[in-house]
C-alpha cells in the first residue's frame, strides 16, 4: 500500500479522506493541522502523496504548499471547501498537482489521486530530461572551448582539434569532457602533426 500524509484541520474532511484512501491503495501514515509539522512529516516519512486542506496552524497554508511543491517529494492534492474558493488562483499559481473541492464523491478523489500521480511523474521526467540536456550542453561548450583553444594557441584546424581530443579520450579512457577540461587547465596539450 502507498503512504499518504493528511494535512488538514477539518475533522469531517479528515474522516472522509481516511475512508476513501484505502479504496485507491493508500494508507494514512500521519495527520496534522500544523504547517511546520507537515513539512517535517514530509521529510521524515517520504510519503507517496500529500493531501492538504487550507487554514493550517503554524505556517501559512500558501507557504506550506509552495515549500512542498518546490521540494518535489511527491504529488500534492489541495482540498478546498466552498468557502475557500477565493484561494483557488493562489493554489493553481503554486502549482499543486491537483485541486479538488469538498464535498466530493469517492470517484472524484480516486481520479484526483491518479491525475496528481500522473502529473508528478511527468514533471519528474521532464525535469530529468532538462537536466540531461543541460549537462549535454555544458559538455559541448567545454569541448568547443577546448577546440577553440587548440585552434587559437596551437594552430590546429577544427577537424584536427576534435580528432586530437577524441583520440586522447579513447587512449586514456576518459570522457571527451574530461579531456577538454585538461586542455583548458593546461594539464594536457596535443602536439600538432
Amino acid at each position: 500500500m502507498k503512504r499518504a500524509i493528511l494535512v488538514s484541520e477539518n475533522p469531517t474532511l479528515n474522516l472522509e479522506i481516511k475512508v476513501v484512501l484505502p479504496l485507491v491503495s493508500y494508507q494514512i501514515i500521519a495527520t496534522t493541522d500544523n504547517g511546520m509539522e507537515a513539512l517535517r512529516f514530509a521529510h521524515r516519512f517520504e510519503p507517496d502523496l500529500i493531501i492538504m486542506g487550507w487554514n493550517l496552524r503554524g505556517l501559512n497554508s500558501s507557504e506550506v504548499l509552495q515549500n512542498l511543491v518546490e521540494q518535489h517529494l511527491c504529488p500534492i492534492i489541495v482540498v478546498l471547501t466552498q468557502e475557500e474558493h477565493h484561494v483557488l488562483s493562489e493554489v493553481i499559481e503554486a502549482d499543486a498537482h491537483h485541486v479538488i473541492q469538498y464535498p466530493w464523491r469517492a470517484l472524484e478523489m480516486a481520479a484526483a489521486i491518479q491525475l496528481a500521480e500522473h502529473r508528478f511523474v511527468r514533471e519528474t521526467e521532464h525535469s530529468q530530461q532538462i537536466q540531461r540536456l543541460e549537462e549535454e550542453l555544458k559538455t559541448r561548450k567545454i569541448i568547443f572551448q577546448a577546440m577553440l583553444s587548440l585552434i587559437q594557441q596551437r594552430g590546429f584546424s577544427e577537424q584536427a582539434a576534435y580528432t586530437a581530443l577524441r583520440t586522447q579520450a579513447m587512449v586514456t579512457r576518459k570522457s571527451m569532457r574530461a579531456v577538454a577540461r585538461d586542455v583548458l587547465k593546461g594539464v594536457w596539450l596535443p602536439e600538432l602533426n
Side-chain angles (χ1 to χ4, degrees):
M1 240 183 184
K2 296 180 183 175
R3 304 165 338 132
I5 292 177
L6 179 55
V7 185
S8 171
E9 47 77 38
N10 184 333
T12 309
L13 173 72
N14 293 354
L15 183 60
E16 289 185 29
I17 289 174
K18 287 178 182 179
V19 169
V20 170
L21 285 182
L23 301 174
V24 286
S25 300
Y26 273 93
Q27 66 180 351
I28 298 287
I29 56 171
T31 303
T32 184
D33 64 349
N34 184 298
M36 287 298 290
E37 195 171 47
L39 295 174
R40 281 195 297 273
F41 283 171
H43 287 285
R44 185 181 334 152
F45 297 121
E46 297 178 359
D48 300 304
L49 176 69
I50 295 175
I51 300 175
M52 70 176 281
W54 214 248
N55 296 326
L56 304 176
R57 293 183 307 109
L59 248 184
N60 180 322
S61 301
S62 180
E63 292 173 352
V64 173
L65 178 59
Q66 288 174 353
N67 200 309
L68 290 170
V69 169
E70 285 174 13
Q71 292 174 22
H72 200 72
L73 301 171
C74 65
I76 301 161
I77 297 176
V78 177
V79 179
L80 297 177
T81 62
Q82 291 176 351
E83 297 82 34
E84 296 166 340
H85 74 279
H86 63 280
V87 298
L88 180 60
S89 59
E90 188 177 339
V91 172
I92 292 170
E93 186 71 28
D95 248 357
H97 295 99
H98 198 71
V99 181
I100 190 165
Q101 189 165 12
Y102 179 78
W104 67 74
R105 294 185 184 108
L107 185 59
E108 290 174 328
M109 181 53 91
I113 290 171
Q114 288 181 335
L115 285 168
E117 288 174 335
H118 178 74
R119 183 172 177 204
F120 181 78
V121 166
R122 295 293 298 259
E123 282 179 2
T124 303
E125 289 171 353
H126 289 158
S127 177
Q128 290 170 348
Q129 186 177 18
I130 288 170
Q131 286 177 341
R132 280 193 302 273
L133 291 172
E134 286 174 346
E135 281 303 308
E136 185 178 324
L137 201 59
K138 286 179 188 175
T139 298
R140 288 181 183 204
K141 183 177 178 183
I142 290 169
I143 291 170
F144 178 76
Q145 288 173 338
M147 287 173 51
L148 190 60
S149 174
L150 292 177
I151 291 168
Q152 291 176 342
Q153 295 176 2
R154 307 285 255 167
F156 279 75
S157 68
E158 185 176 340
Q159 183 63 39
Y162 183 80
T163 303
L165 292 174
R166 189 181 70 218
T167 302
Q168 180 67 7
M170 287 189 298
V171 168
T172 60
R173 293 183 179 242
K174 290 183 175 180
S175 67
M176 288 273 292
R177 184 176 178 160
V179 171
R181 274 200 198 125
D182 288 347
V183 169
L184 293 173
K185 290 178 184 176
V187 175
W188 175 79
L189 292 172
E191 295 298 322
L192 184 60
N193 293 334

